[in-house]
Every structure is written in structure tokens, then in C-alpha cells.
Amino acid sequence: MSASTEPQDITTSSSNSQDASGRQPSAASSAAAQLASAQISLRKTLREFPDFPIPGIDFVDIMPLFANPDAHATLLSALELQISQSFGDSKPDVIVGLDARGFLFGPGLALRLGVPFAAVRKQGKLPGPCVTAEYIKEYGKDLFQMQQDAIKEGQKVLIVDDIIATGKLHL
Ligand SMILES: O=P(O)(O)OC[C@H]1O[C@H](OP(=O)(O)OP(=O)(O)O)[C@H](O)[C@@H]1O
Ligand SMILES: Nc1ncnc2[nH]cnc12
């Protein structure tokens, strides 16, 4: 096990509202330091492949995050901590994962938060009534679909994916 993939003890606590995440200032700065350390560790776990899948794209390979259980555990803890820091006690009602690599991150995070997971898939993969939207990505265009009943009116949704490249998909 390399030092870069050591799991971080980034367990959170959320009582006594002192900041957005509901922590006392010292606990908040400790949580921030733990998150920063986890982010550095996770970043080191990623690999880059130049000119994949086409020339000119520097492809960031996230698979090592899941090949190593320690890195995977650090990832989920870091995501949970990031959500807590960003939204405090106002956790999402539903985690939505984007096809395909959002499916690697979303279900584990949803389970950890104790909320449902819903999938946004590429066209033609989901049964029943769906809503459809076109999106443009770094190297092409595609259609996304979601089952109509996956999210209920008024629910707070957190969308999970692996990477922002051009950012067009997530606009
Ligand atoms: O910031 P952007 O330029 O919009 O690109 C980011 C998106 O592109 C990739 O999806 P893609 O559909 O290429 O691959 P996947 O099916 O393996 O997730 C990636 O997983 C993000 O969803
Ligand atoms: N540069 C990149 N690396 C990994 N996945 C991607 N999806 C779109 N662009 C990407």
C-alpha cells in the first residue's frame, strides 16, 4: 500500500451550527485539513494517458481509485466531507449518477448518505417513460435519459460524475 492511497480518517460530526457544515471552528478547520489531505492523496492515485481516445485529449484515468480499497474508502469519505462542508445539514434527497462513470461514484455515496440513487443513462437503455436531453461533450454529442419517476417534485438532487473536461455536459 503506498502512502498516496492511505485512507484518511475524515469522519464528520454535524452538531452545534458554527459554519456551513455545522461544526465548531476548530472541528471545521480540522475537517478542511483532512479533506485537503485526502484530495492530494486521491489526485496522486489518478493516471494520465495522452492522446486517448483521440489525439489531443489528455485522458485522466480514474480506475485506480476503485482498484485500491483504501483509495476507494478515502474517496467516499472525501465526497461525504465535501458535501457536509458545502451544504451543512442540508443533505441531498437523491444522488443522480451520470452514465457511465458517474455510476462508479454515485451508488456508494448514496448508500453512505442513506439516500436513493437514480441513473441518468445514454438514450435507449432505460425502460418506461423517460425525459431526454442532448448534451455536448469533449469529443462528441449524445442524448441522456432519465426515468420520469426517478425524482419527485421538490427533491434536492446532487449530480455525481467523474470529471469535468470542457464542462459542457454539466452546464
Ligand atoms: O466536461 P465535459 O467535456 O462535458 O466531459 C466530461 C464528461 O465526459 C465523460 O463522459 P463520456 O460520456 O465521454 O464517458 P463515459 O461514458 O465513460 O462516462 C466524463 O465521464 C464526463 O461525463
Ligand atoms: N480528458 C478526459 N479524461 C477522462 N475522461 C474524460 N471525459 C472527457 N474528457 C475526459
Side-chain angles (χ1 to χ4, degrees):
M1 183 189 322
S2 77
S4 66
T5 56
E6 284 289 341
Q8 312 293 312
D9 179 11
I10 52 179
T11 309
T12 66
S13 125
S14 59
S15 58
N16 303 324
S17 297
Q18 292 290 331
D19 70 347
S21 63
R23 294 185 190 83
Q24 297 289 345
S26 59
S29 60
S30 159
Q34 287 166 344
L35 177 57
S37 160
Q39 286 168 335
I40 291 166
S41 163
L42 292 168
R43 202 160 285 137
K44 285 184 190 157
T45 310
L46 302 173
R47 297 185 298 194
E48 279 196 29
F49 289 87
D51 299 320
F52 180 87
I54 56 172
I57 301 290
D58 285 328
F59 192 87
V60 180
D61 181 20
I62 57 154
M63 292 310 169
L65 293 172
F66 302 97
N68 180 325
D70 292 335
H72 195 170
T74 299
L75 170 69
L76 289 178
S77 296
L79 289 172
E80 192 178 12
L81 189 50
Q82 180 71 67
I83 289 166
S84 176
Q85 285 201 348
S86 300
F87 306 114
D89 290 334
S90 177
K91 74 175 180 183
D93 299 314
V94 184
I95 299 288
V96 168
L98 302 185
D99 195 344
R101 281 169 276 168
F103 297 170
L104 296 171
F105 296 81
L109 180 61
L111 188 62
R112 197 150 170 148
L113 295 177
V115 302
F117 172 79
V120 166
R121 296 215 60 187
K122 287 169 187 164
Q123 191 189 30
K125 301 287 185 183
L126 289 169
C130 290
V131 289
T132 304
E134 185 182 272
Y135 69 96
I136 298 166
K137 54 187 184 177
E138 194 175 18
Y139 35 80
K141 245 187 202 179
D142 224 328
L143 291 173
F144 264 160
Q145 289 190 320
M146 182 173 224
Q147 288 171 315
Q148 263 175 19
D149 60 1
I151 301 170
K152 290 170 192 59
E153 187 80 31
Q155 283 190 311
K156 278 177 292 179
V157 172
L158 183 71
I159 300 173
V160 178
D161 204 358
D162 62 324
I163 188 168
I164 294 176
T166 64
K168 286 177 184 160
L169 168 64
H170 305 96
L171 284 177

mmCIF file of all heavy atoms in Angstrom, residues 116-163:
data_model
loop_
_atom_site.group_PDB
_atom_site.id
_atom_site.type_symbol
_atom_site.label_atom_id
_atom_site.label_comp_id
_atom_site.label_asym_id
_atom_site.label_seq_id
_atom_site.Cartn_x
_atom_site.Cartn_y
_atom_site.Cartn_z
ATOM 1 N N PRO A 116 -31.596 7.686 -1.824
ATOM 2 C CA PRO A 116 -31.697 6.898 -3.057
ATOM 3 C C PRO A 116 -30.681 7.336 -4.115
ATOM 4 O O PRO A 116 -30.217 8.477 -4.115
ATOM 5 C CB PRO A 116 -33.115 7.200 -3.563
ATOM 6 C CG PRO A 116 -33.830 7.853 -2.443
ATOM 7 C CD PRO A 116 -32.806 8.488 -1.571
ATOM 8 N N PHE A 117 -30.390 6.393 -5.022
ATOM 9 C CA PHE A 117 -29.573 6.683 -6.201
ATOM 10 C C PHE A 117 -30.448 6.561 -7.439
ATOM 11 O O PHE A 117 -31.251 5.641 -7.544
ATOM 12 C CB PHE A 117 -28.407 5.693 -6.318
ATOM 13 C CG PHE A 117 -27.652 5.825 -7.613
ATOM 14 C CD1 PHE A 117 -26.718 6.845 -7.779
ATOM 15 C CD2 PHE A 117 -27.891 4.960 -8.680
ATOM 16 C CE1 PHE A 117 -26.039 6.991 -8.978
ATOM 17 C CE2 PHE A 117 -27.213 5.103 -9.877
ATOM 18 C CZ PHE A 117 -26.288 6.119 -10.020
ATOM 19 N N ALA A 118 -30.308 7.500 -8.377
ATOM 20 C CA ALA A 118 -31.024 7.427 -9.654
ATOM 21 C C ALA A 118 -30.026 7.602 -10.792
ATOM 22 O O ALA A 118 -29.071 8.370 -10.684
ATOM 23 C CB ALA A 118 -32.097 8.523 -9.715
ATOM 24 N N ALA A 119 -30.274 6.881 -11.894
ATOM 25 C CA ALA A 119 -29.331 6.871 -13.016
ATOM 26 C C ALA A 119 -29.801 7.749 -14.168
ATOM 27 O O ALA A 119 -30.957 7.684 -14.569
ATOM 28 C CB ALA A 119 -29.146 5.444 -13.512
ATOM 29 N N VAL A 120 -28.871 8.549 -14.696
ATOM 30 C CA VAL A 120 -29.072 9.199 -15.995
ATOM 31 C C VAL A 120 -28.271 8.371 -16.999
ATOM 32 O O VAL A 120 -27.064 8.225 -16.849
ATOM 33 C CB VAL A 120 -28.559 10.658 -15.976
ATOM 34 C CG1 VAL A 120 -28.452 11.201 -17.395
ATOM 35 C CG2 VAL A 120 -29.480 11.535 -15.147
ATOM 36 N N ARG A 121 -28.978 7.807 -17.999
ATOM 37 C CA ARG A 121 -28.311 6.899 -18.924
ATOM 38 C C ARG A 121 -28.322 7.441 -20.346
ATOM 39 O O ARG A 121 -29.097 8.314 -20.688
ATOM 40 C CB ARG A 121 -28.997 5.528 -18.911
ATOM 41 C CG ARG A 121 -28.895 4.833 -17.564
ATOM 42 C CD ARG A 121 -28.758 3.352 -17.717
ATOM 43 N NE ARG A 121 -27.572 2.990 -18.488
ATOM 44 C CZ ARG A 121 -27.298 1.754 -18.871
ATOM 45 N NH1 ARG A 121 -28.138 0.773 -18.598
ATOM 46 N NH2 ARG A 121 -26.199 1.507 -19.557
ATOM 47 N N LYS A 122 -27.440 6.868 -21.170
ATOM 48 C CA LYS A 122 -27.462 7.222 -22.578
ATOM 49 C C LYS A 122 -28.734 6.650 -23.205
ATOM 50 O O LYS A 122 -29.296 5.680 -22.699
ATOM 51 C CB LYS A 122 -26.188 6.739 -23.249
ATOM 52 C CG LYS A 122 -25.032 7.639 -22.791
ATOM 53 C CD LYS A 122 -23.659 7.171 -23.131
ATOM 54 C CE LYS A 122 -22.691 8.120 -22.416
ATOM 55 N NZ LYS A 122 -21.330 7.602 -22.338
ATOM 56 N N GLN A 123 -29.196 7.298 -24.285
ATOM 57 C CA GLN A 123 -30.511 7.007 -24.862
ATOM 58 C C GLN A 123 -30.733 5.523 -25.163
ATOM 59 O O GLN A 123 -29.827 4.844 -25.643
ATOM 60 C CB GLN A 123 -30.682 7.788 -26.162
ATOM 61 C CG GLN A 123 -32.089 7.747 -26.682
ATOM 62 C CD GLN A 123 -32.195 8.337 -28.077
ATOM 63 O OE1 GLN A 123 -31.258 8.272 -28.865
ATOM 64 N NE2 GLN A 123 -33.322 8.919 -28.374
ATOM 65 N N GLY A 124 -31.953 5.069 -24.853
ATOM 66 C CA GLY A 124 -32.362 3.720 -25.249
ATOM 67 C C GLY A 124 -32.044 2.642 -24.229
ATOM 68 O O GLY A 124 -32.263 1.455 -24.500
ATOM 69 N N LYS A 125 -31.547 3.002 -23.087
ATOM 70 C CA LYS A 125 -31.150 1.996 -22.089
ATOM 71 C C LYS A 125 -32.157 1.836 -20.958
ATOM 72 O O LYS A 125 -32.141 0.831 -20.252
ATOM 73 C CB LYS A 125 -29.793 2.378 -21.469
ATOM 74 C CG LYS A 125 -28.660 2.489 -22.452
ATOM 75 C CD LYS A 125 -28.226 1.128 -22.929
ATOM 76 C CE LYS A 125 -27.006 1.232 -23.829
ATOM 77 N NZ LYS A 125 -26.627 -0.103 -24.349
ATOM 78 N N LEU A 126 -33.011 2.845 -20.755
ATOM 79 C CA LEU A 126 -33.936 2.799 -19.616
ATOM 80 C C LEU A 126 -35.353 2.464 -20.074
ATOM 81 O O LEU A 126 -35.840 3.066 -21.038
ATOM 82 C CB LEU A 126 -33.943 4.151 -18.889
ATOM 83 C CG LEU A 126 -32.688 4.502 -18.105
ATOM 84 C CD1 LEU A 126 -32.730 5.968 -17.670
ATOM 85 C CD2 LEU A 126 -32.513 3.598 -16.890
ATOM 86 N N PRO A 127 -36.043 1.540 -19.378
ATOM 87 C CA PRO A 127 -37.428 1.214 -19.744
ATOM 88 C C PRO A 127 -38.418 2.243 -19.181
ATOM 89 O O PRO A 127 -38.103 2.972 -18.243
ATOM 90 C CB PRO A 127 -37.633 -0.142 -19.053
ATOM 91 C CG PRO A 127 -36.744 -0.094 -17.861
ATOM 92 C CD PRO A 127 -35.550 0.757 -18.243
ATOM 93 N N GLY A 128 -39.626 2.245 -19.780
ATOM 94 C CA GLY A 128 -40.704 3.113 -19.272
ATOM 95 C C GLY A 128 -40.550 4.542 -19.754
ATOM 96 O O GLY A 128 -39.622 4.882 -20.487
ATOM 97 N N PRO A 129 -41.491 5.421 -19.312
ATOM 98 C CA PRO A 129 -41.457 6.823 -19.739
ATOM 99 C C PRO A 129 -40.189 7.519 -19.239
ATOM 100 O O PRO A 129 -39.814 7.388 -18.075
ATOM 101 C CB PRO A 129 -42.691 7.433 -19.063
ATOM 102 C CG PRO A 129 -43.532 6.291 -18.632
ATOM 103 C CD PRO A 129 -42.631 5.120 -18.427
ATOM 104 N N CYS A 130 -39.540 8.216 -20.172
ATOM 105 C CA CYS A 130 -38.272 8.892 -19.836
ATOM 106 C C CYS A 130 -38.304 10.348 -20.299
ATOM 107 O O CYS A 130 -39.031 10.705 -21.223
ATOM 108 C CB CYS A 130 -37.101 8.196 -20.545
ATOM 109 S SG CYS A 130 -36.737 6.562 -19.882
ATOM 110 N N VAL A 131 -37.482 11.173 -19.661
ATOM 111 C CA VAL A 131 -37.213 12.519 -20.172
ATOM 112 C C VAL A 131 -35.847 12.470 -20.849
ATOM 113 O O VAL A 131 -34.949 11.752 -20.420
ATOM 114 C CB VAL A 131 -37.231 13.579 -19.048
ATOM 115 C CG1 VAL A 131 -38.635 13.811 -18.559
ATOM 116 C CG2 VAL A 131 -36.322 13.189 -17.898
ATOM 117 N N THR A 132 -35.702 13.255 -21.943
ATOM 118 C CA THR A 132 -34.490 13.182 -22.774
ATOM 119 C C THR A 132 -33.876 14.571 -22.929
ATOM 120 O O THR A 132 -34.590 15.559 -23.056
ATOM 121 C CB THR A 132 -34.854 12.635 -24.179
ATOM 122 O OG1 THR A 132 -35.512 11.378 -24.009
ATOM 123 C CG2 THR A 132 -33.626 12.449 -25.053
ATOM 124 N N ALA A 133 -32.545 14.615 -22.920
ATOM 125 C CA ALA A 133 -31.847 15.886 -23.169
ATOM 126 C C ALA A 133 -30.567 15.617 -23.952
ATOM 127 O O ALA A 133 -29.881 14.607 -23.713
ATOM 128 C CB ALA A 133 -31.512 16.575 -21.851
ATOM 129 N N GLU A 134 -30.241 16.515 -24.895
ATOM 130 C CA GLU A 134 -28.996 16.381 -25.653
ATOM 131 C C GLU A 134 -27.878 17.084 -24.901
ATOM 132 O O GLU A 134 -28.115 18.080 -24.217
ATOM 133 C CB GLU A 134 -29.141 17.022 -27.034
ATOM 134 C CG GLU A 134 -27.914 16.800 -27.911
ATOM 135 C CD GLU A 134 -28.056 17.495 -29.272
ATOM 136 O OE1 GLU A 134 -28.609 16.860 -30.188
ATOM 137 O OE2 GLU A 134 -27.608 18.650 -29.386
ATOM 138 N N TYR A 135 -26.683 16.567 -25.013
ATOM 139 C CA TYR A 135 -25.533 17.252 -24.421
ATOM 140 C C TYR A 135 -24.337 17.137 -25.344
ATOM 141 O O TYR A 135 -24.244 16.232 -26.171
ATOM 142 C CB TYR A 135 -25.217 16.700 -23.026
ATOM 143 C CG TYR A 135 -24.686 15.289 -23.025
ATOM 144 C CD1 TYR A 135 -23.308 15.049 -22.985
ATOM 145 C CD2 TYR A 135 -25.550 14.203 -23.066
ATOM 146 C CE1 TYR A 135 -22.816 13.753 -22.977
ATOM 147 C CE2 TYR A 135 -25.069 12.913 -23.066
ATOM 148 C CZ TYR A 135 -23.701 12.690 -23.017
ATOM 149 O OH TYR A 135 -23.211 11.417 -23.024
ATOM 150 N N ILE A 136 -23.420 18.084 -25.161
ATOM 151 C CA ILE A 136 -22.186 18.091 -25.967
ATOM 152 C C ILE A 136 -21.033 17.783 -25.033
ATOM 153 O O ILE A 136 -20.919 18.360 -23.957
ATOM 154 C CB ILE A 136 -21.977 19.478 -26.613
ATOM 155 C CG1 ILE A 136 -23.139 19.782 -27.545
ATOM 156 C CG2 ILE A 136 -20.644 19.535 -27.352
ATOM 157 C CD1 ILE A 136 -23.227 21.229 -27.967
ATOM 158 N N LYS A 137 -20.179 16.851 -25.436
ATOM 159 C CA LYS A 137 -19.035 16.525 -24.587
ATOM 160 C C LYS A 137 -17.736 16.861 -25.308
ATOM 161 O O LYS A 137 -17.763 17.382 -26.421
ATOM 162 C CB LYS A 137 -19.080 15.066 -24.147
ATOM 163 C CG LYS A 137 -19.196 14.076 -25.267
ATOM 164 C CD LYS A 137 -19.400 12.671 -24.725
ATOM 165 C CE LYS A 137 -19.411 11.682 -25.858
ATOM 166 N NZ LYS A 137 -19.539 10.314 -25.411
ATOM 167 N N GLU A 138 -16.596 16.543 -24.658
ATOM 168 C CA GLU A 138 -15.302 16.967 -25.188
ATOM 169 C C GLU A 138 -15.052 16.411 -26.581
ATOM 170 O O GLU A 138 -14.456 17.063 -27.415
ATOM 171 C CB GLU A 138 -14.186 16.531 -24.231
ATOM 172 C CG GLU A 138 -12.862 17.205 -24.496
ATOM 173 C CD GLU A 138 -11.802 16.849 -23.459
ATOM 174 O OE1 GLU A 138 -11.953 15.847 -22.741
ATOM 175 O OE2 GLU A 138 -10.802 17.585 -23.399
ATOM 176 N N TYR A 139 -15.495 15.172 -26.835
ATOM 177 C CA TYR A 139 -15.249 14.587 -28.151
ATOM 178 C C TYR A 139 -16.517 13.953 -28.719
ATOM 179 O O TYR A 139 -16.528 12.823 -29.134
ATOM 180 C CB TYR A 139 -14.102 13.569 -28.101
ATOM 181 C CG TYR A 139 -14.015 12.768 -26.822
ATOM 182 C CD1 TYR A 139 -14.821 11.671 -26.588
ATOM 183 C CD2 TYR A 139 -13.106 13.142 -25.829
ATOM 184 C CE1 TYR A 139 -14.725 10.948 -25.428
ATOM 185 C CE2 TYR A 139 -13.008 12.429 -24.660
ATOM 186 C CZ TYR A 139 -13.809 11.331 -24.454
ATOM 187 O OH TYR A 139 -13.712 10.604 -23.287
ATOM 188 N N GLY A 140 -17.590 14.710 -28.731
ATOM 189 C CA GLY A 140 -18.814 14.228 -29.387
ATOM 190 C C GLY A 140 -20.074 14.772 -28.759
ATOM 191 O O GLY A 140 -20.041 15.638 -27.909
ATOM 192 N N LYS A 141 -21.209 14.219 -29.251
ATOM 193 C CA LYS A 141 -22.554 14.617 -28.803
ATOM 194 C C LYS A 141 -23.301 13.368 -28.384
ATOM 195 O O LYS A 141 -23.029 12.291 -28.890
ATOM 196 C CB LYS A 141 -23.298 15.197 -30.019
ATOM 197 C CG LYS A 141 -23.659 16.647 -29.930
ATOM 198 C CD LYS A 141 -24.521 16.975 -31.125
ATOM 199 C CE LYS A 141 -24.487 18.462 -31.409
ATOM 200 N NZ LYS A 141 -25.295 18.786 -32.584
ATOM 201 N N ASP A 142 -24.275 13.503 -27.522
ATOM 202 C CA ASP A 142 -25.047 12.319 -27.122
ATOM 203 C C ASP A 142 -26.390 12.743 -26.527
ATOM 204 O O ASP A 142 -26.615 13.934 -26.306
ATOM 205 C CB ASP A 142 -24.270 11.496 -26.093
ATOM 206 C CG ASP A 142 -24.331 10.006 -26.389
ATOM 207 O OD1 ASP A 142 -25.359 9.563 -26.929
ATOM 208 O OD2 ASP A 142 -23.367 9.300 -26.085
ATOM 209 N N LEU A 143 -27.251 11.751 -26.290
ATOM 210 C CA LEU A 143 -28.535 12.016 -25.632
ATOM 211 C C LEU A 143 -28.567 11.308 -24.287
ATOM 212 O O LEU A 143 -28.166 10.143 -24.185
ATOM 213 C CB LEU A 143 -29.696 11.515 -26.499
ATOM 214 C CG LEU A 143 -29.952 12.275 -27.791
ATOM 215 C CD1 LEU A 143 -31.015 11.540 -28.619
ATOM 216 C CD2 LEU A 143 -30.416 13.701 -27.514
ATOM 217 N N PHE A 144 -29.029 12.000 -23.296
ATOM 218 C CA PHE A 144 -29.196 11.437 -21.957
ATOM 219 C C PHE A 144 -30.676 11.220 -21.681
ATOM 220 O O PHE A 144 -31.515 12.010 -22.116
ATOM 221 C CB PHE A 144 -28.688 12.428 -20.911
ATOM 222 C CG PHE A 144 -27.277 12.209 -20.455
ATOM 223 C CD1 PHE A 144 -26.582 13.248 -19.843
ATOM 224 C CD2 PHE A 144 -26.646 10.985 -20.585
ATOM 225 C CE1 PHE A 144 -25.285 13.065 -19.379
ATOM 226 C CE2 PHE A 144 -25.349 10.792 -20.130
ATOM 227 C CZ PHE A 144 -24.666 11.832 -19.529
ATOM 228 N N GLN A 145 -30.971 10.173 -20.901
ATOM 229 C CA GLN A 145 -32.358 9.943 -20.487
ATOM 230 C C GLN A 145 -32.432 9.601 -19.004
ATOM 231 O O GLN A 145 -31.491 9.033 -18.445
ATOM 232 C CB GLN A 145 -32.972 8.780 -21.275
ATOM 233 C CG GLN A 145 -33.225 9.125 -22.736
ATOM 234 C CD GLN A 145 -34.042 8.060 -23.438
ATOM 235 O OE1 GLN A 145 -33.835 6.875 -23.208
ATOM 236 N NE2 GLN A 145 -34.961 8.481 -24.285
ATOM 237 N N MET A 146 -33.583 9.942 -18.445
ATOM 238 C CA MET A 146 -33.848 9.591 -17.054
ATOM 239 C C MET A 146 -35.299 9.147 -16.945
ATOM 240 O O MET A 146 -36.169 9.721 -17.620
ATOM 241 C CB MET A 146 -33.603 10.825 -16.192
ATOM 242 C CG MET A 146 -33.806 10.580 -14.742
ATOM 243 S SD MET A 146 -33.286 12.015 -13.822
ATOM 244 C CE MET A 146 -32.396 11.203 -12.550
ATOM 245 N N GLN A 147 -35.564 8.159 -16.123
ATOM 246 C CA GLN A 147 -36.948 7.726 -15.942
ATOM 247 C C GLN A 147 -37.740 8.843 -15.276
ATOM 248 O O GLN A 147 -37.252 9.488 -14.340
ATOM 249 C CB GLN A 147 -36.986 6.435 -15.115
ATOM 250 C CG GLN A 147 -36.491 5.256 -15.928
ATOM 251 C CD GLN A 147 -36.310 3.999 -15.118
ATOM 252 O OE1 GLN A 147 -35.760 4.039 -14.018
ATOM 253 N NE2 GLN A 147 -36.755 2.876 -15.639
ATOM 254 N N GLN A 148 -38.934 9.055 -15.784
ATOM 255 C CA GLN A 148 -39.749 10.200 -15.336
ATOM 256 C C GLN A 148 -40.002 10.217 -13.839
ATOM 257 O O GLN A 148 -40.117 11.275 -13.225
ATOM 258 C CB GLN A 148 -41.095 10.195 -16.071
ATOM 259 C CG GLN A 148 -41.118 11.109 -17.275
ATOM 260 C CD GLN A 148 -42.431 10.991 -18.041
ATOM 261 O OE1 GLN A 148 -43.436 10.507 -17.513
ATOM 262 N NE2 GLN A 148 -42.416 11.419 -19.289
ATOM 263 N N ASP A 149 -40.119 9.009 -13.259
ATOM 264 C CA ASP A 149 -40.463 8.944 -11.830
ATOM 265 C C ASP A 149 -39.232 8.855 -10.924
ATOM 266 O O ASP A 149 -39.349 8.611 -9.729
ATOM 267 C CB ASP A 149 -41.394 7.749 -11.566
ATOM 268 C CG ASP A 149 -40.755 6.419 -11.959
ATOM 269 O OD1 ASP A 149 -39.583 6.428 -12.417
ATOM 270 O OD2 ASP A 149 -41.408 5.384 -11.811
ATOM 271 N N ALA A 150 -38.037 9.081 -11.496
ATOM 272 C CA ALA A 150 -36.814 8.906 -10.696
ATOM 273 C C ALA A 150 -36.657 9.984 -9.627
ATOM 274 O O ALA A 150 -36.079 9.737 -8.571
ATOM 275 C CB ALA A 150 -35.590 8.889 -11.605
ATOM 276 N N ILE A 151 -37.146 11.179 -9.933
ATOM 277 C CA ILE A 151 -37.051 12.293 -8.974
ATOM 278 C C ILE A 151 -38.448 12.861 -8.762
ATOM 279 O O ILE A 151 -39.190 13.068 -9.727
ATOM 280 C CB ILE A 151 -36.138 13.408 -9.529
ATOM 281 C CG1 ILE A 151 -34.740 12.865 -9.803
ATOM 282 C CG2 ILE A 151 -36.060 14.573 -8.557
ATOM 283 C CD1 ILE A 151 -33.877 13.834 -10.567
ATOM 284 N N LYS A 152 -38.757 13.139 -7.520
ATOM 285 C CA LYS A 152 -40.082 13.716 -7.217
ATOM 286 C C LYS A 152 -39.975 15.229 -7.103
ATOM 287 O O LYS A 152 -38.918 15.762 -6.756
ATOM 288 C CB LYS A 152 -40.634 13.113 -5.927
ATOM 289 C CG LYS A 152 -41.016 11.656 -6.117
ATOM 290 C CD LYS A 152 -41.331 10.946 -4.817
ATOM 291 C CE LYS A 152 -41.416 9.445 -5.029
ATOM 292 N NZ LYS A 152 -40.175 8.838 -5.556
ATOM 293 N N GLU A 153 -41.095 15.887 -7.418
ATOM 294 C CA GLU A 153 -41.192 17.353 -7.332
ATOM 295 C C GLU A 153 -40.627 17.865 -6.003
ATOM 296 O O GLU A 153 -40.975 17.345 -4.943
ATOM 297 C CB GLU A 153 -42.680 17.738 -7.450
ATOM 298 C CG GLU A 153 -42.945 19.216 -7.542
ATOM 299 C CD GLU A 153 -42.704 19.744 -8.945
ATOM 300 O OE1 GLU A 153 -42.906 18.980 -9.911
ATOM 301 O OE2 GLU A 153 -42.317 20.921 -9.048
ATOM 302 N N GLY A 154 -39.744 18.842 -6.081
ATOM 303 C CA GLY A 154 -39.244 19.498 -4.873
ATOM 304 C C GLY A 154 -38.047 18.823 -4.224
ATOM 305 O O GLY A 154 -37.497 19.352 -3.261
ATOM 306 N N GLN A 155 -37.622 17.654 -4.746
ATOM 307 C CA GLN A 155 -36.480 16.981 -4.127
ATOM 308 C C GLN A 155 -35.170 17.687 -4.459
ATOM 309 O O GLN A 155 -34.997 18.219 -5.562
ATOM 310 C CB GLN A 155 -36.391 15.517 -4.601
ATOM 311 C CG GLN A 155 -37.406 14.621 -3.923
ATOM 312 C CD GLN A 155 -37.150 13.155 -4.204
ATOM 313 O OE1 GLN A 155 -36.964 12.765 -5.351
ATOM 314 N NE2 GLN A 155 -37.166 12.351 -3.173
ATOM 315 N N LYS A 156 -34.258 17.667 -3.486
ATOM 316 C CA LYS A 156 -32.924 18.225 -3.711
ATOM 317 C C LYS A 156 -32.053 17.130 -4.312
ATOM 318 O O LYS A 156 -31.940 16.037 -3.752
ATOM 319 C CB LYS A 156 -32.292 18.662 -2.389
ATOM 320 C CG LYS A 156 -32.745 20.022 -1.915
ATOM 321 C CD LYS A 156 -32.123 20.339 -0.573
ATOM 322 C CE LYS A 156 -32.696 19.431 0.481
ATOM 323 N NZ LYS A 156 -32.194 19.583 1.827
ATOM 324 N N VAL A 157 -31.440 17.457 -5.448
ATOM 325 C CA VAL A 157 -30.677 16.457 -6.192
ATOM 326 C C VAL A 157 -29.207 16.845 -6.236
ATOM 327 O O VAL A 157 -28.873 18.002 -6.483
ATOM 328 C CB VAL A 157 -31.230 16.353 -7.631
ATOM 329 C CG1 VAL A 157 -30.345 15.475 -8.498
ATOM 330 C CG2 VAL A 157 -32.646 15.815 -7.606
ATOM 331 N N LEU A 158 -28.355 15.878 -5.997
ATOM 332 C CA LEU A 158 -26.919 16.091 -6.199
ATOM 333 C C LEU A 158 -26.475 15.213 -7.360
ATOM 334 O O LEU A 158 -26.645 13.989 -7.327
ATOM 335 C CB LEU A 158 -26.134 15.726 -4.933
ATOM 336 C CG LEU A 158 -24.635 15.976 -5.022
ATOM 337 C CD1 LEU A 158 -24.329 17.473 -5.007
ATOM 338 C CD2 LEU A 158 -23.908 15.305 -3.871
ATOM 339 N N ILE A 159 -25.928 15.849 -8.412
ATOM 340 C CA ILE A 159 -25.483 15.109 -9.596
ATOM 341 C C ILE A 159 -24.011 14.755 -9.440
ATOM 342 O O ILE A 159 -23.186 15.617 -9.118
ATOM 343 C CB ILE A 159 -25.698 15.951 -10.872
ATOM 344 C CG1 ILE A 159 -27.178 16.282 -11.026
ATOM 345 C CG2 ILE A 159 -25.172 15.217 -12.097
ATOM 346 C CD1 ILE A 159 -27.489 17.248 -12.151
ATOM 347 N N VAL A 160 -23.705 13.474 -9.668
ATOM 348 C CA VAL A 160 -22.343 12.977 -9.466
ATOM 349 C C VAL A 160 -21.777 12.472 -10.795
ATOM 350 O O VAL A 160 -22.449 11.745 -11.521
ATOM 351 C CB VAL A 160 -22.342 11.816 -8.441
ATOM 352 C CG1 VAL A 160 -20.948 11.259 -8.264
ATOM 353 C CG2 VAL A 160 -22.902 12.283 -7.113
ATOM 354 N N ASP A 161 -20.545 12.892 -11.081
ATOM 355 C CA ASP A 161 -19.841 12.392 -12.264
ATOM 356 C C ASP A 161 -18.366 12.312 -11.932
ATOM 357 O O ASP A 161 -17.941 12.733 -10.855
ATOM 358 C CB ASP A 161 -20.105 13.311 -13.464
ATOM 359 C CG ASP A 161 -19.928 12.584 -14.785
ATOM 360 O OD1 ASP A 161 -19.561 11.393 -14.785
ATOM 361 O OD2 ASP A 161 -20.156 13.204 -15.831
ATOM 362 N N ASP A 162 -17.570 11.797 -12.879
ATOM 363 C CA ASP A 162 -16.162 11.588 -12.558
ATOM 364 C C ASP A 162 -15.287 12.803 -12.824
ATOM 365 O O ASP A 162 -14.361 13.076 -12.066
ATOM 366 C CB ASP A 162 -15.608 10.379 -13.323
ATOM 367 C CG ASP A 162 -15.650 10.563 -14.828
ATOM 368 O OD1 ASP A 162 -16.617 11.188 -15.337
ATOM 369 O OD2 ASP A 162 -14.735 10.083 -15.510
ATOM 370 N N ILE A 163 -15.555 13.532 -13.903
ATOM 371 C CA ILE A 163 -14.610 14.554 -14.322
ATOM 372 C C ILE A 163 -15.310 15.672 -15.084
ATOM 373 O O ILE A 163 -16.297 15.415 -15.778
ATOM 374 C CB ILE A 163 -13.515 13.914 -15.229
ATOM 375 C CG1 ILE A 163 -12.386 14.898 -15.530
ATOM 376 C CG2 ILE A 163 -14.085 13.382 -16.516
ATOM 377 C CD1 ILE A 163 -11.175 14.221 -16.158
#
